[in-house]
Amino acid sequence: MRFLKTGIAFIWVLLLCTALASLETRERPARFRILHFNDFHGQVEPSVGKTGEESGGLARLIGMADSRREAARAERVETRIVCAGDVFTGTAFSTLFQGDPEFQVLKKAGLFAMTAGNHEWDFGAGTLMRRISDSGIPLLLCNVSAAEPSHAFWRPWTAVRTGGIVVGFTGVTTPETPTTTAPGNTEGFAFSDPVSALSALCRENPGGWDFLVVLSHCGFEQDRRIAREVGGVGLIVGGHDHKVMETPHLENGVPIVQAGDRGRFLGEVEIALSRSSPPAVTGRLLSVSPSTGENGEVAALLRPYLEKEEAALGAVLGRLPAALSGDRVLLRTGEAPLGDFVADALREASGAEAAFINGGALRAGLPSGDVTGRDLYACLPFFDSLTTVLLTGEQVQALLDRCASMPREDPPGGFLQVSGVEAVYDGGRAVSVRIGNAPLDRARSYRVACTQFLLSGGDGLAEFKAGRDARDWGLSLQEILRRELARPDLRIPESGGRIVRR
């Protein structure tokens, strides 16, 4: 009898230990890791800073991702790599090959999913569709719809299961996309408010996910709005405004991350997921530098493309006596020497009284000394042409008022660089405006030069579209600047006085 009681007691202890072990297993959080980057802009080679330091490079970025995935495998942690948009546009390389090599690399690297940036549409919807189809990379968009449903080449969401937890992924892009790419590129597609689209998706939760990751190419302020207004979002992986966020920003309890631009950083986020406790999210940025090991296969894949680029664009077009900075903030907040140079070239080529070019059209500076085709296409990567149009003085005033009221924090690309114009920006308005050394006459009309992009109302500058007697000169911006650089008497205009900010 004593042995029977001892046996029963032993069984109870064994059952209790088993139950506790089972409970511990159920309660132990599942670990899930996300590697992320955004706003790559075709920067396949390392970018060089003002002091000569290198950062980024696609072979190094993928080498860093390989290293982090290998570490995760050793820790038995599920890992996925994602992109928050703008793989395309920003270098001569990207313009020349329209993103084909970049997508070949991302396919080889096992990119799990991406959302579309506004620049993904720069070569037309057909090119983007081919890149997605050929690579097999899931493009996630829940706030874009196609007039013809069969033309939708994206999906609204996808999901992965880890440790019994379902992690969902979706994507949103800026609803301003139709005005930030060339006219016609988004024809047949509608871009809706990301908050409304995400709210509807989260209410339905078609994937039955326990945790939702949003890949967002909407910018930090919109991401904050999403975090405040959409219930059910677990993490926002952001892009569009190139923010370097060393650690996650918490908004309404939702972490927001972003990894700068041009592959200078790889973001790493770890999520601890459990059904019995809130998710715990930590994150950091990893610098991609010369000490980062390259992925040899990626380097080999890119090499012949880089050789073709050198053959096509390596020739010297002319010489500049001084460098012209392509600083993004400078071009989008005030008068910039590069903006003066390009706007003057447009005005001289057309004989117009004034000329305008949006700061967002200029994507890189021009070096002192020899300027090559590669430099030119890096500066002006968009295929756009010179146009002229008649604007009333009232319309010119409205355009300049728009620029005067644009924010200096995260400035938009619609800020206008000018030629033949002088204005003081004070209190969100343009005052003391002069064209051709005479005060602006709001009642008369002026022949102004601009680009086809601006003439279509790009960047929301509707006054150009409302002008009269428009003419397309059939000259690309690259050809105009090529001719300017070839001039033996080339001079850089003196800067100052065109745009004065108070």
Side-chain angles (χ1 to χ4, degrees):
M1 187 69 179
R2 184 177 61 193
F3 292 111
L4 179 60
K5 288 180 179 179
T6 302
I8 292 172
F10 174 77
I11 291 170
W12 275 108
V13 169
L14 183 62
L15 289 173
L16 179 61
C17 290
T18 302
L20 288 173
S22 175
L23 180 62
E24 183 183 353
T25 301
R26 287 199 306 271
E27 293 300 323
R28 185 180 298 127
R31 294 168 64 196
F32 187 71
R33 207 167 278 172
I34 293 174
L35 304 175
H36 64 94
F37 65 97
N38 55 276
D39 298 282
F40 183 71
H41 291 297
Q43 190 68 53
V44 299
E45 293 187 286
S47 53
V48 181
K50 294 179 181 177
T51 58
E53 74 282 6
E54 283 190 0
S55 61
L58 188 51
R60 290 174 182 165
L61 179 69
I62 301 307
M64 173 73 80
D66 291 342
S67 173
R68 297 311 303 155
R69 282 187 289 199
E70 187 62 35
R73 277 192 290 271
E75 299 173 46
R76 297 183 179 179
V77 178
E78 284 258 17
T79 305
R80 296 292 186 275
I81 182 168
V82 298
C83 173
D86 275 3
V87 172
F88 283 167
T89 305
T91 62
F93 185 94
S94 188
T95 300
L96 188 61
F97 300 112
Q98 300 192 341
D100 182 30
E102 295 97 303
F103 270 82
Q104 288 185 47
V105 168
L106 295 179
K107 175 183 180 180
K108 184 178 290 290
L111 188 71
F112 173 71
M114 65 174 288
T115 196
N118 50 305
H119 288 299
E120 253 69 71
W121 303 84
D122 283 344
F123 306 125
T127 297
L128 177 56
M129 186 185 304
R130 285 193 298 276
R131 299 292 174 258
I132 295 300
S133 174
D134 292 347
S135 67
I137 296 169
L139 180 67
L140 305 181
L141 288 166
C142 75
N143 72 320
V144 179
S145 59
E148 173 53 59
S150 64
H151 293 171
F153 50 93
W154 58 87
R155 62 183 78 172
W157 61 273
T158 189
V160 61
R161 181 179 292 274
T162 177
I165 303 289
V166 178
V167 179
F169 289 81
T170 187
V172 288
T173 193
T174 172
E176 297 173 353
T177 295
T179 64
T180 56
T181 188
N185 283 353
T186 57
E187 188 174 349
F189 304 96
F191 296 72
S192 65
D193 175 52
V195 166
S196 299
L198 283 168
S199 295
L201 185 70
C202 287
R203 281 194 302 269
E204 184 182 351
N205 191 354
W209 50 75
D210 303 293
F211 185 90
L212 181 63
V213 179
V214 176
L215 308 181
S216 168
H217 195 84
C218 295
F220 180 62
E221 290 305 317
Q222 280 292 330
D223 291 345
R224 294 181 65 200
R225 177 175 165 243
I226 289 168
R228 291 192 301 268
E229 299 182 22
V230 181
V233 173
L235 169 69
I236 299 172
V237 177
H240 190 43
D241 44 10
H242 304 189
K243 280 193 174 294
V244 177
M245 299 174 65
E246 296 284 353
T247 56
H249 169 85
L250 276 181
E251 185 77 26
N252 192 32
V254 178
I256 302 171
V257 298
Q258 198 175 145
D261 66 332
R262 295 183 179 268
R264 296 179 297 131
F265 303 96
L266 179 70
E268 184 176 64
V269 177
E270 181 154 327
I271 311 161
L273 297 164
S274 169
R275 296 190 184 279
S276 61
S277 58
V281 178
T282 57
R284 61 175 179 158
L285 292 185
L286 304 167
S287 294
V288 179
S289 68
S291 63
T292 304
E294 285 190 345
N295 178 301
E297 290 186 21
V298 170
L301 188 155
L302 293 174
R303 194 170 298 119
Y305 287 99
L306 290 167
E307 290 170 355
K308 289 177 185 177
E309 180 198 21
E310 180 63 28
L313 301 175
V316 174
L317 305 178
R319 290 181 58 83
L320 279 177
L324 296 171
S325 172
D327 181 83
R328 174 187 174 94
V329 175
L330 179 65
L331 285 162
R332 298 179 181 212
T333 56
E335 182 182 349
L338 178 60
D340 292 349
F341 181 64
V342 176
D344 280 0
L346 298 186
R347 184 161 68 100
E348 184 166 337
S350 64
E353 296 173 85
F356 302 92
I357 186 164
N358 54 312
L362 306 170
R363 309 302 284 198
L366 294 172
S368 63
D370 290 345
V371 179
T372 67
R374 177 186 290 186
D375 298 322
L376 174 60
Y377 278 88
C379 176
L380 291 168
F382 305 109
F383 293 112
D384 207 345
S385 58
L386 170 67
T387 64
T388 52
V389 64
L390 279 176
L391 296 182
T392 65
E394 194 72 37
Q395 289 168 322
V396 171
Q397 180 70 50
L399 281 170
L400 298 177
D401 284 343
R402 282 181 186 268
C403 294
S405 64
M406 288 178 182
R408 298 196 197 192
E409 183 73 21
D410 295 329
F415 186 90
L416 294 172
Q417 298 290 318
V418 301
S419 175
V421 177
E422 296 177 1
V424 175
Y425 292 171
D426 188 9
R429 294 192 67 253
V431 298
S432 304
V433 179
R434 299 176 69 83
I435 291 185
N437 297 318
L440 179 71
D441 183 348
R442 298 195 184 199
R444 67 158 284 199
S445 292
Y446 296 88
R447 175 75 60 184
V448 306
C450 62
T451 63
Q452 185 61 242
F453 172 75
L454 290 176
L455 190 65
S456 71
D459 278 330
L461 302 174
E463 289 77 12
F464 287 110
K465 192 173 184 178
R468 297 181 295 107
D469 194 24
R471 174 187 172 187
D472 190 320
W473 286 64
L475 279 173
S476 71
L477 301 191
Q478 292 86 354
E479 179 58 27
I480 291 169
L481 221 60
R482 185 189 296 271
R483 295 179 183 181
E484 192 70 18
L485 289 165
R487 289 174 53 169
D489 60 343
L490 173 65
R491 293 171 53 197
I492 295 176
E494 290 187 13
S495 292
R498 302 188 188 193
I499 300 170
V500 177
R501 300 205 77 148
R502 290 179 181 166

